[in-house]
């Protein structure tokens, strides 16, 4: 689409259970992705709560069509077990992902996420400076939009609801034209 940044792409990470997860595993569902770290004292929990509320608003309006995703930018401390414990505080459907430093670097570059270890008090006591952005991704795995820190959960949900509703209408029209049962393919 004209005017849409080229964000996203292939990734190979590890989920909350320690199982491999790639972008292919998440295709077929809309995603709301947030990059952060579990030891973040304030911004990440606030943004993750905002993500949860936005997903709940979509759930109430359209059903469970949007999957929240958390990707850690702190692979040294955020093991699958740590990510699992952290994600339990937020939406029940949240997909929590981490990986090796190289895997995290690759997915962060694909989404143009900035992150950098700040001042270290010790090997386990440090903060990470990072982008504060939620990424909305389509069922086909392609980037649709992003939402910054100043956007509310309702504003995010309203924008996503508009796109998802349009897609549902297009799928319904395709189904009617084709007379087929499966209208979930995304031609775009």
């Amino acid at each position: 689409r004209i005017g849409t940044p080229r964000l996203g792409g292939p990734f190979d990470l590890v989920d909350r259970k320690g199982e491999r997860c790639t972008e292919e595993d998440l295709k077929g569902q809309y995603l709301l992705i947030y990059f952060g770290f579990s030891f973040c004292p304030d911004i990440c929990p606030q943004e993750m709560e905002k993500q949860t509320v936005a997903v709940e608003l979509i759930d109430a309006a359209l059903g469970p069509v949007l999957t929240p995703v958390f990707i850690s930018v702190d692979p040294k401390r955020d093991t699958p077990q740590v990510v699992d414990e952290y994600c339990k505080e937020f939406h029940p459907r949240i997909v929590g992902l981490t990986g090796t430093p190289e895997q995290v670097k690759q997915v962060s570059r694909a989404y143009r996420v900035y992150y950098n270890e700040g001042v270290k008090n010790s090997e386990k006591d440090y903060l990470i400076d990072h982008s504060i952005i939620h990424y909305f991704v389509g069922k086909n795995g392609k980037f649709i939009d992003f939402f910054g820190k100043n956007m509310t959960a309702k504003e995010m949900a309203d924008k996503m609801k508009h796109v998802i509703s349009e897609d549902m209408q297009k799928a319904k029209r395709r189904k009617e034209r084709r007379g087929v049962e499966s209208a979930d393919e995304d031609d775009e």
Side-chain angles (χ1 to χ4, degrees):
R1 293 184 334 217
I2 296 173
T4 303
R6 288 188 178 192
L7 296 175
F11 62 82
D12 193 343
L13 297 167
V14 178
D15 70 13
R16 296 165 57 177
K17 294 181 174 96
E19 303 290 324
R20 181 176 182 228
C21 181
T22 72
E23 77 288 350
E24 291 296 322
D25 297 314
L26 300 176
K27 280 191 178 170
Q29 52 197 310
Y30 293 96
L31 306 175
L32 184 58
I33 301 173
Y34 182 74
F35 290 80
F37 65 110
S38 70
F39 289 86
C40 181
D42 47 19
I43 300 297
C44 293
Q46 291 168 6
E47 291 299 305
M48 295 290 289
E49 186 59 36
K50 182 165 70 174
Q51 180 191 56
T52 297
V53 171
V55 172
E56 288 170 347
L57 289 168
I58 295 294
D59 285 354
L62 302 171
V65 297
L66 177 66
T67 300
V69 179
F70 169 77
I71 299 177
S72 174
V73 293
D74 186 10
K76 290 180 195 170
R77 294 182 295 184
D78 282 345
T79 64
Q81 297 79 15
V82 170
V83 169
D84 183 47
E85 282 303 311
Y86 183 68
C87 287
K88 286 178 183 176
E89 299 294 320
F90 305 103
H91 198 279
R93 285 197 319 272
I94 193 165
V95 175
L97 301 172
T98 188
T100 66
E102 276 307 310
Q103 289 171 317
V104 169
K105 186 181 203 177
Q106 185 220 354
V107 69
S108 297
R109 281 187 174 163
Y111 282 91
R112 298 183 187 168
V113 172
Y114 162 80
Y115 69 99
N116 188 36
E117 281 183 20
V119 176
K120 278 188 170 186
N121 293 327
S122 73
E123 275 305 304
K124 292 189 178 188
D125 184 16
Y126 56 90
L127 296 178
I128 295 180
D129 186 27
H130 63 90
S131 308
I132 305 170
I133 297 173
H134 294 266
Y135 299 86
F136 179 39
V137 177
K139 294 189 329 182
N140 58 3
K142 294 190 177 174
F143 169 80
I144 296 173
D145 204 349
F146 67 89
F147 312 114
K149 184 178 183 314
N150 294 333
M151 190 167 269
T152 67
K154 183 175 181 335
E155 291 168 332
M156 290 166 53
D158 287 347
K159 284 186 156 218
M160 292 184 289
K161 187 167 78 172
H162 176 75
V163 170
I164 294 169
S165 295
E166 266 186 11
D167 286 353
M168 289 175 152
Q169 287 299 317
K170 287 178 190 174
K172 184 178 176 187
R173 286 193 298 274
R174 280 194 304 268
K175 181 179 176 184
E176 289 168 355
R177 270 196 319 267
R178 294 179 187 164
V180 296
E181 287 300 311
S182 177
D184 287 336
E185 312 99 42
D186 194 349
D187 299 319
E188 301 164 29

